[in-house]
Amino acid sequence: MYPLTPLPYAHDALEPVISKTTLETHHGKHHAKYVEVLNQLVGDEESRPLEDVVRSAEPGSKLFNNAGQAWNHGFFWQCMKPGGSKPSGELKDVIASSFGGLDQFREAFITEGATHFASGWAWLVREGGGLKVISTHDADTAITRPQCAPLLVCDVWEHAYYLDFKNDRKGFLDAWFDQLVNWDFVAERLAAAEAGEPGWRYPQA
Ligand SMILES: [Fe+2]
């Protein structure tokens, strides 16, 4: 069994970028439904880490889609905090060496998310020892890629922003990047990846 991970902030804490209504629906309906279907598919006795379920499921299958979406959303909630923060220290240096600077990374990340066709996710990952910006389609997730540690993700499914930004996905990404990114969480993920430690784990029920 897998739980619906609780939000680490109040439903209205990410306003005005993400409205209370959007967050209530996104977490309480969308994420909750993925978890509900996942639990129906695996049964009450399932005890494997969710990461193992995702990695062993047939890509595109109902199990993969619901397990992947459950995991991606659990990770996504951790990537945000009210008011955001700024990268510093090792993280800032690695972003500078990988992308040329925070502004260049910001542009690369937002462009990846804004131009990603249809539903999916925009990621910052550490892969093969370097940082990369990638996107995945639908329920696809960075944790199935070899030697890939996700550091940051933004949900670019329409349900993430349509009530607040209509069709302006880039507007959502601009505001999200500047006002909501939890850089402390990103720095923790980078430090763990550099140390060869396991990445963020979805909680067990
Ligand atoms: Fe979503």
Side-chain angles (χ1 to χ4, degrees):
M1 292 281 288
Y2 303 95
L4 173 64
T5 50
L7 292 174
Y9 29 72
H11 284 108
D12 61 356
L14 305 183
E15 291 188 334
V17 181
I18 298 177
S19 66
K20 180 181 180 183
T21 301
T22 291
L23 198 50
E24 286 177 341
T25 305
H26 199 172
H27 179 258
K29 301 294 183 183
H30 290 277
H31 189 191
K33 186 67 176 179
Y34 296 127
V35 173
E36 177 188 335
V37 175
L38 165 67
N39 284 322
Q40 289 170 353
L41 291 170
V42 298
D44 293 346
E45 302 305 313
E46 178 60 67
S47 60
R48 288 179 294 165
L50 181 56
E51 293 75 18
D52 291 356
V53 175
V54 173
R55 291 182 176 120
S56 63
E58 177 70 24
S61 66
K62 189 174 181 181
L63 176 58
F64 178 88
N65 288 340
N66 285 279
Q69 285 294 81
W71 195 94
N72 287 349
H73 282 90
F75 189 79
F76 176 54
W77 308 134
Q78 303 299 319
C79 290
M80 298 182 285
K81 73 175 195 178
S85 58
K86 292 292 179 188
S88 60
E90 165 78 4
L91 174 60
K92 187 177 181 182
D93 293 344
V94 173
I95 287 174
S97 63
S98 300
F99 300 100
L102 181 61
D103 289 346
Q104 289 89 336
F105 164 62
R106 181 186 185 282
E107 182 172 350
F109 187 90
I110 290 171
T111 298
E112 184 74 29
T115 59
H116 176 85
F117 187 74
S119 298
W121 302 83
W123 305 81
L124 171 66
V125 299
R126 185 176 187 271
E127 189 172 80
L131 299 194
K132 292 181 183 174
V133 169
I134 64 168
S135 56
T136 59
H137 283 281
D138 300 325
D140 280 350
T141 172
I143 64 170
T144 58
R145 295 166 66 102
Q147 298 185 321
C148 182
L151 308 182
L152 174 69
V153 74
C154 186
D155 189 340
V156 297
W157 284 59
E158 285 187 346
H159 66 227
Y161 62 87
Y162 213 84
L163 288 175
D164 304 317
F165 287 82
K166 299 298 189 289
N167 61 318
D168 185 13
R169 186 191 289 177
K170 183 179 183 301
F172 165 64
L173 281 158
D174 283 335
W176 183 88
F177 192 97
D178 294 338
Q179 299 177 51
L180 294 184
V181 172
N182 182 355
W183 289 104
D184 297 333
F185 179 72
V186 180
E188 290 170 8
R189 300 276 59 77
L190 176 64
E194 290 179 336
E197 298 170 358
W200 181 82
R201 290 292 186 91
Y202 197 94
Q204 301 280 93

